[in-house]
Amino acid sequence: MILNKRRAIILSLIGFILLLPLIGMQFSSEVNWTISDFIIAGILLAIVGLSIELVFKLASTKMQRLLFLAIVLFLGLLIWAEMAVGIFGSPIAGS
C-alpha cells in the first residue's frame, strides 16, 4: 500500500517528535520515559495526525479547516497535558 504524501509527512513528524524524549533521556536524568510512555504518546500523536488528515479531506472551506484543525489540536494538547501532569485529576493522569 502506497501512503500519500500528507500521511507520510504526518508519520515522519510523529517519529521525529518521539525522538525528542529519546534523545533527552541520553543527556538528562530528568527525562525518564518507559516503553509504555512511547507507545501511548505514539498512539495519541497518530490519532491527532490522522484526525488532521481527515479534516483536510472532509472540510470544504478554508474556514472549516481552520476551525476543525484548531479543535483537533486543542483536544490533542489538552489530553497530552492531562496525561503528563493531571490538570483535571482524571484516571488517565496516572499516579
Side-chain angles (χ1 to χ4, degrees):
M1 179 171 135
I2 298 174
L3 298 174
N4 63 18
K5 187 176 181 180
R6 190 179 316 144
R7 194 174 301 164
I9 291 171
I10 290 170
L11 293 175
S12 297
L13 282 172
I14 291 170
F16 175 75
I17 291 170
L18 289 175
L19 274 177
L20 295 175
L22 184 65
I23 293 169
M25 287 172 48
Q26 307 307 312
F27 297 103
S28 173
S29 61
E30 300 284 324
V31 182
N32 187 18
W33 281 34
T34 63
I35 189 70
S36 63
D37 293 325
F38 283 100
I39 291 170
I40 292 169
I43 291 170
L44 179 61
L45 288 170
I47 290 170
V48 170
L50 295 175
S51 297
I52 289 171
E53 183 181 1
L54 189 63
V55 166
F56 276 107
K57 278 185 172 181
L58 298 180
S60 56
T61 67
K62 187 176 182 179
M63 186 56 87
Q64 283 180 339
R65 281 187 182 145
L66 289 174
L67 176 66
F68 290 131
L69 284 174
I71 291 170
V72 166
L73 290 174
F74 176 75
L75 290 175
L77 288 173
L78 191 66
I79 292 170
W80 186 286
E82 175 61 22
M83 293 172 73
V85 294
I87 55 178
F88 300 117
S90 72
I92 66 169
S95 55

